[in-house]
Amino acid sequence: MTTAPAATAGLSTGVAALSPRYQVGAVVALAVVAVAVCAHIGLVFLHVAPSNTLTKQHGSVVDEWVFPEFEQNWKLFAPNPLQQNVAVQLRAEVSTADGEIRTTRWYDLSAEDGRAIDGNPLPSHTQQNELRRAWDFFVASHDSEDRPVGLRGTLSETYLRRIALLRLDRDGAAGPGDVVERVQYRSRTTNVEPPPWSGEKVSDRPTVRELPWWSVSAENRDGRAGKSGRAAQSGQAGQEGGAA
């Protein structure tokens, strides 16, 4: 009876209970995780920090790591946070099964996201940020004439094209036998009315930014929008081949 406590005291727990080989592996794994965490925190810090010698010399490395998943900004804490409502809208040109071209109505994508979030205690990250961040990405990487600035500008257009196809498919813009050929975005920006005590005066007239039409390549059709049209055309071609 007196030997039980001594035996219990001799038992090791945690890493100490592992064999020496596994202890070395655990220490190496923890060291790798610690280095990765420190590197991530350091790169994000350089991203949000004021311009300095390191960011000037290694800015491309920082951007490659941070964008697009870890991007940070100071809009929430800025002296003048965003005081505008931006509504992003979309329409498309669709080729029908009988060879005609029709233009859809304008779909208010921002309003759709707003309705999905309203009253939802756990809205998805996609509903909250996908469209908003994609539009911010486009605006930041294009000039005043909607021309892309560098590779990021071209990438933002590709991203918006794919979002357009997903949303048009969700809204049923392309019916059976139809194929989305071109898409067009526009934004409607209105100022948020300041509180009465501020004395600030802002215009209540909306500002509309309408982008040119973008062609949709087969590469950007990701199997959602226009899928039914292509499937129908393929099926029709197969039937005609079989009949021949």
Side-chain angles (χ1 to χ4, degrees), residues 30-238:
L30 289 174
V32 170
V33 171
V35 170
V37 170
C38 291
H40 171 73
I41 294 175
L43 289 169
V44 172
F45 171 77
L46 291 174
H47 172 66
V48 299
S51 179
N52 55 69
T53 303
L54 284 176
T55 55
K56 290 178 181 178
Q57 293 181 351
H58 307 289
S60 59
V61 176
V62 174
D63 289 344
E64 287 178 4
W65 176 259
V66 170
F67 292 105
E69 288 86 0
F70 307 119
E71 182 182 3
Q72 307 288 321
N73 60 64
W74 295 99
K75 287 183 179 180
L76 178 62
F77 306 102
N80 295 304
L82 187 63
Q83 298 176 345
Q84 295 175 323
N85 286 324
V86 181
V88 180
Q89 301 171 343
L90 171 71
R91 66 176 177 177
E93 280 188 357
V94 178
S95 61
T96 63
D98 55 9
E100 296 183 354
I101 299 292
R102 65 178 178 87
T103 303
T104 68
R105 62 177 177 85
W106 286 103
Y107 294 92
D108 194 334
L109 306 185
S110 297
E112 292 177 2
D113 286 348
R115 287 192 293 269
I117 295 171
D118 189 26
N120 185 351
L122 297 172
S124 71
H125 180 74
T126 299
Q127 292 168 336
Q128 297 178 82
N129 297 314
E130 180 186 65
L131 178 65
R132 180 181 63 83
R133 297 299 295 120
W135 187 254
D136 287 346
F137 183 22
F138 172 85
V139 172
S141 59
H142 284 70
D143 61 21
S144 58
E145 297 183 1
D146 300 324
R147 293 176 299 196
V149 179
L151 295 176
R152 285 175 54 80
T154 304
L155 178 62
S156 70
E157 291 185 7
T158 302
Y159 188 34
L160 279 176
R161 279 183 173 92
R162 292 180 177 177
I163 290 176
L165 293 175
L166 289 168
R167 297 300 186 93
L168 291 169
D169 180 62
R170 184 186 304 172
D171 291 327
D178 296 348
V179 177
V180 176
E181 301 292 349
R182 299 199 302 170
V183 296
Q184 184 181 31
Y185 278 95
R186 75 178 180 188
S187 66
R188 187 175 185 271
T189 303
T190 54
N191 293 315
V192 176
E193 185 178 354
W197 50 261
S198 70
E200 182 181 359
K201 302 295 182 183
V202 297
S203 173
D204 59 356
R205 297 185 61 182
T207 301
V208 177
R209 179 176 183 174
E210 190 168 296
L211 304 187
W213 284 96
W214 291 341
S215 298
V216 178
S217 64
E219 176 181 320
N220 285 324
R221 297 190 182 101
D222 61 354
R224 295 176 182 270
K227 179 179 179 181
S228 58
R230 294 195 302 279
Q233 291 175 356
S234 300
Q236 183 179 358

